[in-house]
Amino acid sequence: MAISGLGSHYISLFLYVVFATFLHKGAAQTISVQGQNLVTNNVSVVEGETAIISCRVKNNDDSVIQLLNPNRQTIYFRDVRPLKDSRFQLVNFSDNELLVSLSNVSLSDEGRYVCQLYTDPPQEAYADITVLVPPGNPILESREEIVSEGNETEITCTAMGSKPASTIKWMKGDQPLQGEATVEELYDRMFTVTSRLRLTVSKEDDGVAVICIIDHPAVKDFQAQKYLEVQYKPEVQIVVEFPEGLTREGENLELTCRAKGKPQPHQINWLKVDDDFPSHAVITGSDLFIENLNKSFNGTYRCVASNLVGEAYDDYILYVYDVLTTTPPPTNTTISAFQDSRADGAPQKIDHAVIGGIVAVVVFAMLCLLIVLGRYFARHKGTYFTHEAKGADDAADADTAIINAEGGHNNSDDKKEYYI
């Protein structure tokens, strides 16, 4: 019976396979043959993509090359594919190379592939295919959506179903942070990784992005981010609207209290520290107006603003000058301070203590000056009386004392007569 060309081809292939199987059973380990080198390489491929398996020979002497799968089934014998898996396709075949592609790779394709060279003895080289499974989209969750300044919050980032396990990194703005990771192993060497980040926030963190970065060989620039929403107590500033220079008697004073916070301050109050508020002062919202100033209005005026987080205040020290005063004001200033809503809120008295200390120093200096001047005048007065009474102690009577007190003029002015 005649055998067609196609039938002869399959018979030849069958004989090759039988021969190859026989040689494989007789060779259990890889043996190098002098003058011929069988080379392959390991492959890492993302699930669903295409892997390229290469069997290369240096100085081949027409020996047969074949490729086996991890189950030792022949994928390609020379340029013929006995295996009925169309995902394997021949890319190149020559005496020195057998190049095969595997498309739509799945986890079941992972394992050790064998390149065989039919020499005496036969050679084998192994190519390990590793299938990478990227994680799903990172899941970012926070314990609370809104945080008050000074409090701690916790943010969780989860990378699910990856192979190998993912690594999670954290950034707050451009600042790296350290989280605490837990790894859960699933089926088929798949992993889910969860990282928890704990941080204490300040008002400067409001609107800053916290970024969860997934590091995995199958993906690049894989991340999720959340913007922090931080509530903070008000910031308060008193602005002098009028006058621009010195606050003099008879003039008007207008102050504006500027306050901002998150949430926006819901209450703004004016008060005078340690004293009653002027009866004719007018408060309109955040503005304070006092007309016809006089020195009885001197003191510290305070604006207090509050919201749900806490309260804060700013102080303005008023000193009313005489009409003709031109010296720049040393005390008309604002002093900012902040206090938590849980604090006792006792007003500060630092300015009064300073003024009292200055007055005490001035009084002490004046007392010292008076004592020195008194001692000086007392000493000079005693000397005067001593000279006035000089010679009185040795006089026999009052007339002699007077003569002696006059400095002995009789002796000094003695007249002498000369007769010729």
Side-chain angles (χ1 to χ4, degrees), residues 347-389:
Q348 298 182 349
K349 302 181 181 179
I350 297 177
D351 48 322
H352 300 286
V354 172
I355 295 172
I358 294 174
V359 172
V361 171
V362 172
V363 171
F364 179 75
M366 292 179 65
L367 288 176
C368 291
L369 181 61
L370 290 174
I371 291 173
V372 172
L373 291 175
R375 290 177 61 86
Y376 176 78
F377 285 120
R379 180 179 298 176
H380 283 70
K381 184 176 182 181
T383 303
Y384 172 76
F385 286 130
T386 301
H387 284 288
E388 187 180 31

mmCIF file of all heavy atoms in Angstrom, residues 347-389:
data_model
loop_
_atom_site.group_PDB
_atom_site.id
_atom_site.type_symbol
_atom_site.label_atom_id
_atom_site.label_comp_id
_atom_site.label_asym_id
_atom_site.label_seq_id
_atom_site.Cartn_x
_atom_site.Cartn_y
_atom_site.Cartn_z
ATOM 1 N N PRO A 347 -7.309 85.332 82.192
ATOM 2 C CA PRO A 347 -6.623 86.366 81.399
ATOM 3 C C PRO A 347 -5.207 86.585 81.900
ATOM 4 O O PRO A 347 -4.916 86.454 83.080
ATOM 5 C CB PRO A 347 -7.479 87.613 81.613
ATOM 6 C CG PRO A 347 -8.164 87.377 82.913
ATOM 7 C CD PRO A 347 -8.400 85.900 83.003
ATOM 8 N N GLN A 348 -4.324 86.956 80.988
ATOM 9 C CA GLN A 348 -2.945 87.228 81.344
ATOM 10 C C GLN A 348 -2.823 88.642 81.906
ATOM 11 O O GLN A 348 -3.514 89.561 81.467
ATOM 12 C CB GLN A 348 -2.046 87.069 80.122
ATOM 13 C CG GLN A 348 -2.052 85.662 79.572
ATOM 14 C CD GLN A 348 -1.116 85.553 78.389
ATOM 15 O OE1 GLN A 348 -0.648 86.556 77.881
ATOM 16 N NE2 GLN A 348 -0.858 84.345 77.965
ATOM 17 N N LYS A 349 -1.891 88.852 82.860
ATOM 18 C CA LYS A 349 -1.688 90.150 83.496
ATOM 19 C C LYS A 349 -0.233 90.594 83.374
ATOM 20 O O LYS A 349 0.290 91.308 84.207
ATOM 21 C CB LYS A 349 -2.086 90.092 84.973
ATOM 22 C CG LYS A 349 -3.529 89.673 85.185
ATOM 23 C CD LYS A 349 -3.882 89.659 86.647
ATOM 24 C CE LYS A 349 -5.321 89.209 86.879
ATOM 25 N NZ LYS A 349 -5.679 89.174 88.295
ATOM 26 N N ILE A 350 0.422 90.148 82.376
ATOM 27 C CA ILE A 350 1.847 90.431 82.222
ATOM 28 C C ILE A 350 2.075 91.935 82.046
ATOM 29 O O ILE A 350 2.985 92.521 82.600
ATOM 30 C CB ILE A 350 2.419 89.655 81.030
ATOM 31 C CG1 ILE A 350 2.299 88.153 81.296
ATOM 32 C CG2 ILE A 350 3.866 90.023 80.793
ATOM 33 C CD1 ILE A 350 2.767 87.294 80.144
ATOM 34 N N ASP A 351 1.194 92.634 81.286
ATOM 35 C CA ASP A 351 1.388 94.045 81.022
ATOM 36 C C ASP A 351 1.297 94.871 82.302
ATOM 37 O O ASP A 351 2.072 95.805 82.503
ATOM 38 C CB ASP A 351 0.360 94.520 80.003
ATOM 39 C CG ASP A 351 -1.045 94.070 80.348
ATOM 40 O OD1 ASP A 351 -1.198 92.932 80.836
ATOM 41 O OD2 ASP A 351 -1.983 94.850 80.138
ATOM 42 N N HIS A 352 0.384 94.554 83.219
ATOM 43 C CA HIS A 352 0.249 95.278 84.465
ATOM 44 C C HIS A 352 1.463 95.069 85.357
ATOM 45 O O HIS A 352 1.924 95.993 86.040
ATOM 46 C CB HIS A 352 -1.027 94.848 85.185
ATOM 47 C CG HIS A 352 -2.278 95.095 84.380
ATOM 48 N ND1 HIS A 352 -2.820 96.356 84.194
ATOM 49 C CD2 HIS A 352 -3.068 94.245 83.686
ATOM 50 C CE1 HIS A 352 -3.909 96.272 83.443
ATOM 51 N NE2 HIS A 352 -4.064 94.994 83.106
ATOM 52 N N ALA A 353 1.996 93.890 85.391
ATOM 53 C CA ALA A 353 3.174 93.613 86.208
ATOM 54 C C ALA A 353 4.373 94.408 85.712
ATOM 55 O O ALA A 353 5.173 94.926 86.491
ATOM 56 C CB ALA A 353 3.476 92.118 86.184
ATOM 57 N N VAL A 354 4.501 94.517 84.392
ATOM 58 C CA VAL A 354 5.617 95.281 83.829
ATOM 59 C C VAL A 354 5.515 96.752 84.207
ATOM 60 O O VAL A 354 6.498 97.396 84.613
ATOM 61 C CB VAL A 354 5.655 95.103 82.291
ATOM 62 C CG1 VAL A 354 6.696 96.042 81.676
ATOM 63 C CG2 VAL A 354 5.969 93.661 81.927
ATOM 64 N N ILE A 355 4.308 97.300 84.066
ATOM 65 C CA ILE A 355 4.111 98.716 84.420
ATOM 66 C C ILE A 355 4.413 98.950 85.898
ATOM 67 O O ILE A 355 5.101 99.915 86.273
ATOM 68 C CB ILE A 355 2.678 99.150 84.079
ATOM 69 C CG1 ILE A 355 2.466 99.100 82.552
ATOM 70 C CG2 ILE A 355 2.395 100.556 84.591
ATOM 71 C CD1 ILE A 355 1.041 99.336 82.125
ATOM 72 N N GLY A 356 3.933 98.059 86.778
ATOM 73 C CA GLY A 356 4.203 98.199 88.209
ATOM 74 C C GLY A 356 5.682 98.123 88.524
ATOM 75 O O GLY A 356 6.197 98.855 89.375
ATOM 76 N N GLY A 357 6.417 97.230 87.817
ATOM 77 C CA GLY A 357 7.857 97.118 88.048
ATOM 78 C C GLY A 357 8.595 98.384 87.660
ATOM 79 O O GLY A 357 9.508 98.844 88.374
ATOM 80 N N ILE A 358 8.187 98.986 86.533
ATOM 81 C CA ILE A 358 8.837 100.227 86.089
ATOM 82 C C ILE A 358 8.611 101.348 87.100
ATOM 83 O O ILE A 358 9.529 102.105 87.449
ATOM 84 C CB ILE A 358 8.312 100.619 84.697
ATOM 85 C CG1 ILE A 358 8.744 99.566 83.654
ATOM 86 C CG2 ILE A 358 8.819 101.993 84.291
ATOM 87 C CD1 ILE A 358 8.150 99.802 82.284
ATOM 88 N N VAL A 359 7.377 101.459 87.591
ATOM 89 C CA VAL A 359 7.067 102.504 88.591
ATOM 90 C C VAL A 359 7.881 102.295 89.858
ATOM 91 O O VAL A 359 8.434 103.245 90.445
ATOM 92 C CB VAL A 359 5.556 102.499 88.899
ATOM 93 C CG1 VAL A 359 5.250 103.437 90.068
ATOM 94 C CG2 VAL A 359 4.762 102.908 87.661
ATOM 95 N N ALA A 360 8.023 101.049 90.311
ATOM 96 C CA ALA A 360 8.791 100.763 91.533
ATOM 97 C C ALA A 360 10.251 101.155 91.363
ATOM 98 O O ALA A 360 10.875 101.718 92.273
ATOM 99 C CB ALA A 360 8.664 99.278 91.879
ATOM 100 N N VAL A 361 10.817 100.873 90.188
ATOM 101 C CA VAL A 361 12.221 101.223 89.933
ATOM 102 C C VAL A 361 12.403 102.746 89.961
ATOM 103 O O VAL A 361 13.366 103.277 90.530
ATOM 104 C CB VAL A 361 12.678 100.631 88.585
ATOM 105 C CG1 VAL A 361 14.059 101.183 88.210
ATOM 106 C CG2 VAL A 361 12.727 99.115 88.661
ATOM 107 N N VAL A 362 11.467 103.483 89.343
ATOM 108 C CA VAL A 362 11.568 104.946 89.320
ATOM 109 C C VAL A 362 11.481 105.522 90.731
ATOM 110 O O VAL A 362 12.267 106.410 91.126
ATOM 111 C CB VAL A 362 10.475 105.530 88.413
ATOM 112 C CG1 VAL A 362 10.448 107.050 88.525
ATOM 113 C CG2 VAL A 362 10.713 105.105 86.970
ATOM 114 N N VAL A 363 10.532 105.040 91.554
ATOM 115 C CA VAL A 363 10.379 105.537 92.934
ATOM 116 C C VAL A 363 11.626 105.251 93.740
ATOM 117 O O VAL A 363 12.128 106.101 94.493
ATOM 118 C CB VAL A 363 9.128 104.894 93.573
ATOM 119 C CG1 VAL A 363 9.072 105.217 95.069
ATOM 120 C CG2 VAL A 363 7.867 105.389 92.878
ATOM 121 N N PHE A 364 12.187 104.051 93.593
ATOM 122 C CA PHE A 364 13.394 103.690 94.342
ATOM 123 C C PHE A 364 14.567 104.599 93.948
ATOM 124 O O PHE A 364 15.339 105.063 94.796
ATOM 125 C CB PHE A 364 13.731 102.228 94.070
ATOM 126 C CG PHE A 364 14.978 101.754 94.764
ATOM 127 C CD1 PHE A 364 14.988 101.499 96.125
ATOM 128 C CD2 PHE A 364 16.148 101.584 94.036
ATOM 129 C CE1 PHE A 364 16.152 101.077 96.761
ATOM 130 C CE2 PHE A 364 17.305 101.162 94.655
ATOM 131 C CZ PHE A 364 17.309 100.905 96.029
ATOM 132 N N ALA A 365 14.692 104.878 92.664
ATOM 133 C CA ALA A 365 15.780 105.744 92.207
ATOM 134 C C ALA A 365 15.632 107.153 92.777
ATOM 135 O O ALA A 365 16.618 107.798 93.181
ATOM 136 C CB ALA A 365 15.806 105.772 90.682
ATOM 137 N N MET A 366 14.398 107.651 92.817
ATOM 138 C CA MET A 366 14.181 108.991 93.358
ATOM 139 C C MET A 366 14.500 109.046 94.849
ATOM 140 O O MET A 366 15.099 110.026 95.332
ATOM 141 C CB MET A 366 12.737 109.425 93.108
ATOM 142 C CG MET A 366 12.412 109.649 91.621
ATOM 143 S SD MET A 366 10.696 110.125 91.346
ATOM 144 C CE MET A 366 10.689 111.725 92.176
ATOM 145 N N LEU A 367 14.134 108.024 95.626
ATOM 146 C CA LEU A 367 14.457 107.982 97.054
ATOM 147 C C LEU A 367 15.964 107.993 97.283
ATOM 148 O O LEU A 367 16.481 108.684 98.151
ATOM 149 C CB LEU A 367 13.817 106.743 97.685
ATOM 150 C CG LEU A 367 12.281 106.777 97.843
ATOM 151 C CD1 LEU A 367 11.764 105.449 98.386
ATOM 152 C CD2 LEU A 367 11.868 107.908 98.792
ATOM 153 N N CYS A 368 16.662 107.212 96.478
ATOM 154 C CA CYS A 368 18.128 107.169 96.613
ATOM 155 C C CYS A 368 18.726 108.549 96.323
ATOM 156 O O CYS A 368 19.652 109.007 97.003
ATOM 157 C CB CYS A 368 18.706 106.119 95.662
ATOM 158 S SG CYS A 368 18.297 104.425 96.119
ATOM 159 N N LEU A 369 18.208 109.230 95.309
ATOM 160 C CA LEU A 369 18.712 110.554 94.965
ATOM 161 C C LEU A 369 18.468 111.553 96.089
ATOM 162 O O LEU A 369 19.343 112.376 96.439
ATOM 163 C CB LEU A 369 18.049 111.029 93.671
ATOM 164 C CG LEU A 369 18.481 112.396 93.152
ATOM 165 C CD1 LEU A 369 19.976 112.398 92.842
ATOM 166 C CD2 LEU A 369 17.675 112.765 91.914
ATOM 167 N N LEU A 370 17.289 111.508 96.718
ATOM 168 C CA LEU A 370 16.980 112.405 97.826
ATOM 169 C C LEU A 370 17.902 112.173 99.020
ATOM 170 O O LEU A 370 18.374 113.116 99.672
ATOM 171 C CB LEU A 370 15.520 112.238 98.242
ATOM 172 C CG LEU A 370 14.467 112.759 97.252
ATOM 173 C CD1 LEU A 370 13.062 112.407 97.727
ATOM 174 C CD2 LEU A 370 14.605 114.280 97.085
ATOM 175 N N ILE A 371 18.197 110.917 99.320
ATOM 176 C CA ILE A 371 19.079 110.602 100.447
ATOM 177 C C ILE A 371 20.479 111.154 100.194
ATOM 178 O O ILE A 371 21.115 111.771 101.060
ATOM 179 C CB ILE A 371 19.115 109.078 100.679
ATOM 180 C CG1 ILE A 371 17.744 108.606 101.204
ATOM 181 C CG2 ILE A 371 20.203 108.699 101.678
ATOM 182 C CD1 ILE A 371 17.628 107.092 101.309
ATOM 183 N N VAL A 372 20.992 110.979 99.000
ATOM 184 C CA VAL A 372 22.339 111.460 98.671
ATOM 185 C C VAL A 372 22.404 112.986 98.752
ATOM 186 O O VAL A 372 23.329 113.577 99.327
ATOM 187 C CB VAL A 372 22.739 110.962 97.267
ATOM 188 C CG1 VAL A 372 24.040 111.625 96.830
ATOM 189 C CG2 VAL A 372 22.897 109.452 97.281
ATOM 190 N N LEU A 373 21.399 113.678 98.205
ATOM 191 C CA LEU A 373 21.384 115.141 98.246
ATOM 192 C C LEU A 373 21.275 115.654 99.684
ATOM 193 O O LEU A 373 21.918 116.652 100.068
ATOM 194 C CB LEU A 373 20.232 115.676 97.405
ATOM 195 C CG LEU A 373 20.364 115.482 95.893
ATOM 196 C CD1 LEU A 373 19.097 115.954 95.186
ATOM 197 C CD2 LEU A 373 21.572 116.263 95.374
ATOM 198 N N GLY A 374 20.463 114.964 100.528
ATOM 199 C CA GLY A 374 20.322 115.384 101.924
ATOM 200 C C GLY A 374 21.624 115.290 102.683
ATOM 201 O O GLY A 374 22.005 116.200 103.424
ATOM 202 N N ARG A 375 22.349 114.173 102.465
ATOM 203 C CA ARG A 375 23.631 114.005 103.148
ATOM 204 C C ARG A 375 24.631 115.060 102.657
ATOM 205 O O ARG A 375 25.437 115.614 103.420
ATOM 206 C CB ARG A 375 24.169 112.600 102.906
ATOM 207 C CG ARG A 375 23.357 111.516 103.639
ATOM 208 C CD ARG A 375 23.891 110.133 103.300
ATOM 209 N NE ARG A 375 25.281 110.000 103.720
ATOM 210 C CZ ARG A 375 25.686 109.627 104.940
ATOM 211 N NH1 ARG A 375 24.761 109.399 105.884
ATOM 212 N NH2 ARG A 375 26.951 109.519 105.228
ATOM 213 N N TYR A 376 24.588 115.409 101.402
ATOM 214 C CA TYR A 376 25.535 116.386 100.844
ATOM 215 C C TYR A 376 25.314 117.782 101.455
ATOM 216 O O TYR A 376 26.250 118.446 101.911
ATOM 217 C CB TYR A 376 25.359 116.435 99.324
ATOM 218 C CG TYR A 376 26.207 117.480 98.645
ATOM 219 C CD1 TYR A 376 27.565 117.258 98.414
ATOM 220 C CD2 TYR A 376 25.638 118.687 98.248
ATOM 221 C CE1 TYR A 376 28.335 118.220 97.808
ATOM 222 C CE2 TYR A 376 26.403 119.667 97.641
ATOM 223 C CZ TYR A 376 27.765 119.437 97.410
ATOM 224 O OH TYR A 376 28.520 120.391 96.803
ATOM 225 N N PHE A 377 24.053 118.240 101.497
ATOM 226 C CA PHE A 377 23.762 119.567 102.036
ATOM 227 C C PHE A 377 24.003 119.637 103.543
ATOM 228 O O PHE A 377 24.460 120.657 104.068
ATOM 229 C CB PHE A 377 22.324 119.965 101.717
ATOM 230 C CG PHE A 377 22.125 120.362 100.280
ATOM 231 C CD1 PHE A 377 21.228 119.666 99.480
ATOM 232 C CD2 PHE A 377 22.836 121.412 99.729
ATOM 233 C CE1 PHE A 377 21.045 120.021 98.155
ATOM 234 C CE2 PHE A 377 22.653 121.772 98.409
ATOM 235 C CZ PHE A 377 21.765 121.079 97.613
ATOM 236 N N ALA A 378 23.721 118.538 104.242
ATOM 237 C CA ALA A 378 23.948 118.540 105.699
ATOM 238 C C ALA A 378 25.437 118.699 106.004
ATOM 239 O O ALA A 378 25.844 119.434 106.912
ATOM 240 C CB ALA A 378 23.402 117.254 106.304
ATOM 241 N N ARG A 379 26.305 118.058 105.245
ATOM 242 C CA ARG A 379 27.739 118.143 105.481
ATOM 243 C C ARG A 379 28.257 119.562 105.228
ATOM 244 O O ARG A 379 29.027 120.122 106.008
ATOM 245 C CB ARG A 379 28.458 117.141 104.584
ATOM 246 C CG ARG A 379 29.974 117.173 104.776
ATOM 247 C CD ARG A 379 30.631 116.143 103.886
ATOM 248 N NE ARG A 379 30.163 114.813 104.263
ATOM 249 C CZ ARG A 379 30.526 113.716 103.593
ATOM 250 N NH1 ARG A 379 31.307 113.814 102.535
ATOM 251 N NH2 ARG A 379 30.073 112.558 103.988
ATOM 252 N N HIS A 380 27.840 120.212 104.178
ATOM 253 C CA HIS A 380 28.314 121.552 103.875
ATOM 254 C C HIS A 380 27.756 122.590 104.858
ATOM 255 O O HIS A 380 28.394 123.596 105.155
ATOM 256 C CB HIS A 380 27.947 121.926 102.440
ATOM 257 C CG HIS A 380 28.855 121.279 101.433
ATOM 258 N ND1 HIS A 380 28.832 119.938 101.184
ATOM 259 C CD2 HIS A 380 29.839 121.807 100.665
ATOM 260 C CE1 HIS A 380 29.734 119.640 100.284
ATOM 261 N NE2 HIS A 380 30.379 120.784 99.939
ATOM 262 N N LYS A 381 26.598 122.426 105.372
ATOM 263 C CA LYS A 381 26.028 123.349 106.362
ATOM 264 C C LYS A 381 26.824 123.307 107.654
ATOM 265 O O LYS A 381 27.127 124.308 108.281
ATOM 266 C CB LYS A 381 24.564 122.999 106.605
ATOM 267 C CG LYS A 381 23.860 123.955 107.552
ATOM 268 C CD LYS A 381 22.387 123.600 107.675
ATOM 269 C CE LYS A 381 21.691 124.598 108.596
ATOM 270 N NZ LYS A 381 20.261 124.287 108.765
ATOM 271 N N GLY A 382 27.281 122.211 108.182
ATOM 272 C CA GLY A 382 28.096 122.054 109.392
ATOM 273 C C GLY A 382 29.426 122.768 109.258
ATOM 274 O O GLY A 382 29.921 123.420 110.167
ATOM 275 N N THR A 383 30.043 122.696 108.126
ATOM 276 C CA THR A 383 31.334 123.346 107.883
ATOM 277 C C THR A 383 31.200 124.872 107.973
ATOM 278 O O THR A 383 32.045 125.590 108.488
ATOM 279 C CB THR A 383 31.866 122.944 106.512
ATOM 280 O OG1 THR A 383 31.962 121.540 106.451
ATOM 281 C CG2 THR A 383 33.231 123.553 106.250
ATOM 282 N N TYR A 384 30.096 125.396 107.515
ATOM 283 C CA TYR A 384 29.848 126.834 107.537
ATOM 284 C C TYR A 384 29.783 127.346 108.975
ATOM 285 O O TYR A 384 30.407 128.337 109.331
ATOM 286 C CB TYR A 384 28.560 127.157 106.783
ATOM 287 C CG TYR A 384 28.114 128.591 106.921
ATOM 288 C CD1 TYR A 384 28.771 129.596 106.200
ATOM 289 C CD2 TYR A 384 27.051 128.931 107.750
ATOM 290 C CE1 TYR A 384 28.380 130.922 106.335
ATOM 291 C CE2 TYR A 384 26.662 130.237 107.874
ATOM 292 C CZ TYR A 384 27.310 131.254 107.166
ATOM 293 O OH TYR A 384 26.915 132.546 107.291
ATOM 294 N N PHE A 385 29.044 126.663 109.806
ATOM 295 C CA PHE A 385 28.945 127.073 111.197
ATOM 296 C C PHE A 385 30.282 126.971 111.898
ATOM 297 O O PHE A 385 30.616 127.745 112.758
ATOM 298 C CB PHE A 385 27.901 126.230 111.932
ATOM 299 C CG PHE A 385 26.492 126.591 111.572
ATOM 300 C CD1 PHE A 385 25.587 125.625 111.197
ATOM 301 C CD2 PHE A 385 26.061 127.917 111.599
ATOM 302 C CE1 PHE A 385 24.287 125.953 110.862
ATOM 303 C CE2 PHE A 385 24.767 128.250 111.261
ATOM 304 C CZ PHE A 385 23.881 127.256 110.886
ATOM 305 N N THR A 386 31.076 126.067 111.578
ATOM 306 C CA THR A 386 32.382 125.878 112.226
ATOM 307 C C THR A 386 33.292 127.057 111.931
ATOM 308 O O THR A 386 33.957 127.602 112.812
ATOM 309 C CB THR A 386 33.042 124.586 111.743
ATOM 310 O OG1 THR A 386 32.197 123.519 112.056
ATOM 311 C CG2 THR A 386 34.388 124.371 112.412
ATOM 312 N N HIS A 387 33.313 127.544 110.695
ATOM 313 C CA HIS A 387 34.142 128.705 110.353
ATOM 314 C C HIS A 387 33.607 129.977 110.985
ATOM 315 O O HIS A 387 34.369 130.875 111.353
ATOM 316 C CB HIS A 387 34.193 128.865 108.827
ATOM 317 C CG HIS A 387 35.095 127.875 108.183
ATOM 318 N ND1 HIS A 387 36.475 127.944 108.283
ATOM 319 C CD2 HIS A 387 34.810 126.780 107.449
ATOM 320 C CE1 HIS A 387 37.010 126.941 107.642
ATOM 321 N NE2 HIS A 387 36.010 126.204 107.115
ATOM 322 N N GLU A 388 32.310 130.088 111.100
ATOM 323 C CA GLU A 388 31.731 131.282 111.690
ATOM 324 C C GLU A 388 32.104 131.423 113.169
ATOM 325 O O GLU A 388 32.304 132.507 113.696
ATOM 326 C CB GLU A 388 30.218 131.271 111.511
ATOM 327 C CG GLU A 388 29.556 132.565 111.954
ATOM 328 C CD GLU A 388 28.063 132.498 111.765
ATOM 329 O OE1 GLU A 388 27.524 131.372 111.875
ATOM 330 O OE2 GLU A 388 27.428 133.517 111.477
ATOM 331 N N ALA A 389 32.229 130.318 113.868
ATOM 332 C CA ALA A 389 32.525 130.331 115.310
ATOM 333 C C ALA A 389 33.985 130.100 115.618
ATOM 334 O O ALA A 389 34.346 129.742 116.725
ATOM 335 C CB ALA A 389 31.669 129.294 116.023
#
